[in-house]
Amino acid sequence: MKIVVACDSYKGCMYSKEVAQHIENGILKQNPHHEVWKYTIADGGEGTVSAFCDTCGGQLIEVSTVDAYMKKIKAQYTLIDQGQTAVMEAANIIGLNMYPREKRAPLFACSYGLGVVLLDAVKRGVKKVIIGLGGTATNDGGMGMLMALGVRFFDENHKPLPAQALSLEKIHYIDFNRMHKMNVELIAACDVANHLLGEQGATHVFGKQKGLYPNQIKKIERGMENYRFQLQRYLKVDINTFEGGGAAGGIGAILIGMLHAKMVPGIKLLLGYSNLEEKVAHCDLVITGEGQTDKQTKFGKVPVGILTVANRYHKPTICISGALGLGYQDLYELGFIGLFSISDRAMTFQQALDNAPAKLEAATFAIINTIDKIKHF
């Protein structure tokens, strides 16, 4: 068989390239005569830079910046299209998984570091910047990113405010005079359609997973409302009107509403640079997967993006994921012929992470063995 393997990363466990390699190992252990075509895939979150670099033969650029808590780090983005396009991801600059759960402090996290990397790319003379917005630790509405671009925020006493979620409700004055001019095409790679505010907005939907408590969510939502009001007062733009504005703790709203970025699903962007569709057209089986497959997967996640391509060519597609969550059965209606979890017994979360590579190879071996045996009946 000719098999296309195109999976998202298993968040906090394995990158997309590693997932594909372990799946290939499982396939070839069962039958070394199968031909495997592997692809590094991402949807705008963790691994986006690596995926574009591998797919396009990009050049990695290292830049000094700061993480979500203003600690100095080195981050990477990639140049593609002969250096005319930069691809960066928020997840490797201000990412949620850069700190263990017990050390996350979303009230103080900010997006300043992403703005630093964006400026570095612009100063290199690129014509386009693709920014992957998934997996951020921040909920500052892009305030930090704006400060890195030269915007200054002040409280009612004209004292400068630090870039953090706690500052949002204190903003009374904004100075745009030193804001850097962004003469580039901006693309926000994201699968989120949420607006900035409300019950389906950035804070209410994503705040808990970033570490906000219920009483803090209400407080930061009030801050976001003030932030939106102050920006509208100065710029005559309502940043709550845009689909995707709730991405990355509100960074999406700033990119779309202020910097005129276009929001595009990350998987759609990447596939536009890849020959994956051509390979799918000539394969016998497609394998995709992600860390956890559940009812959210159908809303633009990698497995459904890959399935959409496979369905065009009537290719059987299976999904092998770290876990299967609530509502995963609904995905059978989209066309998957099989949805599998690599977990084979009860274990702690840490044990699941530690054993994932071996479990993935074993699950793949079993699945391919079943397919091969059925074909011989």
Side-chain angles (χ1 to χ4, degrees):
M1 285 193 297
K2 294 182 174 65
I3 305 171
V4 168
V5 177
C7 301
D8 198 359
S9 63
Y10 283 20
K11 300 295 189 292
C13 179
M14 290 182 284
Y15 290 111
S16 172
K17 182 186 291 188
E18 296 172 295
V19 173
Q21 184 60 59
H22 288 297
I23 289 176
E24 181 183 46
N25 292 348
I27 293 170
L28 298 183
K29 281 180 183 177
Q30 198 287 320
N31 188 337
H33 299 294
H34 289 321
E35 186 174 354
V36 181
W37 298 324
K38 304 190 301 292
Y39 288 86
T40 306
I41 300 293
D43 60 1
E46 183 181 75
T48 295
V49 167
S50 175
F52 273 91
C53 190
D54 289 352
T55 299
C56 305
Q59 174 191 0
L60 283 175
I61 302 296
E62 187 173 84
V63 56
S64 297
T65 184
V66 292
D67 66 15
Y69 305 107
M70 298 298 286
K71 293 183 179 179
K72 293 181 179 180
I73 61 167
K74 297 286 187 181
Q76 290 184 325
Y77 64 93
T78 186
L79 295 178
I80 61 174
D81 296 335
Q82 290 77 50
Q84 297 300 297
T85 299
V87 182
M88 60 191 63
E89 64 182 74
N92 73 7
I93 306 167
I94 52 172
L96 186 65
N97 289 328
M98 293 172 69
Y99 284 84
R101 186 179 299 274
E102 65 273 13
K103 292 188 177 181
R104 296 169 187 170
L107 293 177
F108 305 98
C110 81
S111 54
Y112 189 93
L114 180 61
V116 172
V117 179
L118 175 57
L119 271 182
D120 185 86
V122 171
K123 290 176 180 178
R124 289 179 185 272
V126 300
K127 304 299 182 185
K128 180 191 296 185
V129 179
I130 297 171
I131 306 175
L133 292 183
T136 65
T138 61
N139 203 91
D140 71 341
M143 179 185 180
M145 182 179 69
L146 285 177
M147 289 183 70
L149 299 181
V151 179
R152 296 185 295 171
F153 297 86
F154 302 90
D155 66 14
E156 60 184 347
N157 298 313
H158 293 274
K159 292 184 178 180
L161 289 166
Q164 57 186 226
L166 280 177
S167 295
L168 295 174
E169 65 179 349
K170 301 175 185 177
I171 298 171
H172 277 259
Y173 306 100
I174 308 175
D175 179 3
F176 294 96
N177 291 326
R178 301 180 186 178
M179 183 174 176
H180 190 93
K181 303 300 180 184
M182 305 297 291
N183 297 316
V184 296
E185 178 185 0
L186 289 175
I187 305 291
C190 182
D191 59 6
V192 167
N194 306 70
H195 288 249
L196 178 67
L197 299 172
E199 292 296 322
Q200 297 302 313
T203 307
H204 280 284
V205 174
F206 305 110
K208 183 179 179 181
Q209 71 186 44
K210 297 182 182 188
L212 289 174
Y213 294 103
N215 63 320
Q216 295 174 332
I217 287 176
K218 293 178 181 178
K219 178 180 177 64
I220 299 307
E221 180 74 1
R222 290 195 301 269
M224 282 288 192
E225 290 171 353
N226 176 61
Y227 181 62
R228 172 245 195 138
F229 169 77
Q230 297 296 341
L231 287 172
Q232 188 171 10
R233 185 164 70 92
Y234 280 90
L235 302 176
K236 312 304 179 187
V237 175
D238 183 357
I239 61 172
N240 190 45
T241 61
F242 306 103
E243 282 195 1
I251 294 174
I254 297 303
L255 287 174
I256 302 169
M258 286 186 58
L259 303 180
H260 312 295
K262 181 180 179 182
M263 187 75 73
V264 180
I267 183 65
K268 181 179 179 180
L269 270 175
L270 182 62
L271 293 182
Y273 283 91
S274 168
N275 70 342
L276 181 142
E277 184 158 350
E278 176 187 341
K279 290 295 188 181
V280 167
H282 295 93
C283 77
D284 301 299
L285 175 68
V286 177
I287 298 177
T288 187
E290 61 185 334
Q292 174 165 299
T293 295
D294 53 32
K295 62 184 178 181
Q296 296 297 321
T297 297
K298 61 185 176 182
F299 299 114
K301 299 292 187 180
V302 164
V304 170
I306 300 301
L307 176 67
T308 300
V309 176
N311 283 346
R312 281 201 287 270
Y313 299 94
H314 308 288
K315 301 298 180 177
T317 304
I318 64 176
C319 180
I320 308 175
S321 297
L324 297 176
L326 292 174
Y328 80 88
Q329 297 94 331
D330 295 346
L331 299 176
Y332 279 110
E333 298 175 4
L334 302 181
F336 285 107
I337 65 167
L339 295 152
F340 302 95
S341 166
I342 65 173
S343 300
D344 59 1
R345 60 182 173 83
M347 62 182 71
T348 66
F349 181 67
Q350 189 57 51
Q351 287 175 323
L353 295 180
D354 294 341
N355 291 292
K359 296 292 184 186
L360 179 56
E361 291 189 17
T364 303
F365 178 95
I367 292 166
I368 298 301
N369 183 65
T370 301
I371 293 172
D372 282 349
K373 294 297 189 294
I374 289 174
K375 286 174 63 180
H376 284 96
F377 277 102

